[in-house]
Amino acid sequence: MENSRLDDTKLLAIIGLLLSFLIVVSVSFGLAYFYDVKHNGGVDVGSCISVSTSPSP
C-alpha cells in the first residue's frame, strides 16, 4: 500500500497544531509565573523582629 501525499500533509498539520498549542501554553504559564514573582510582596523582615526597651533578666 502506498502512502498518499494527503496523509503526510495531515500528519504535518497535526504536529504543527500540537507544537503551536504547546508553545502558547508554555508562554502563558511563563507570563503568569513572572507576573506573580514580580508582584509578590514577600515577607517584611522588619516585622519579624520584636523590639523590647527593657533588657531581659
Side-chain angles (χ1 to χ4, degrees), residues 14-54:
I14 291 172
I15 291 173
L17 285 173
L18 289 174
L19 283 175
S20 64
F21 179 74
L22 180 66
I23 290 170
V24 167
V25 169
S26 299
V27 169
S28 298
F29 277 118
L31 288 174
Y33 174 75
F34 285 123
Y35 180 79
D36 185 46
V37 168
K38 184 178 178 183
H39 290 90
N40 191 2
V43 177
D44 185 16
V45 179
S47 66
C48 297
I49 301 170
S50 63
V51 179
S52 62
T53 55
S54 62

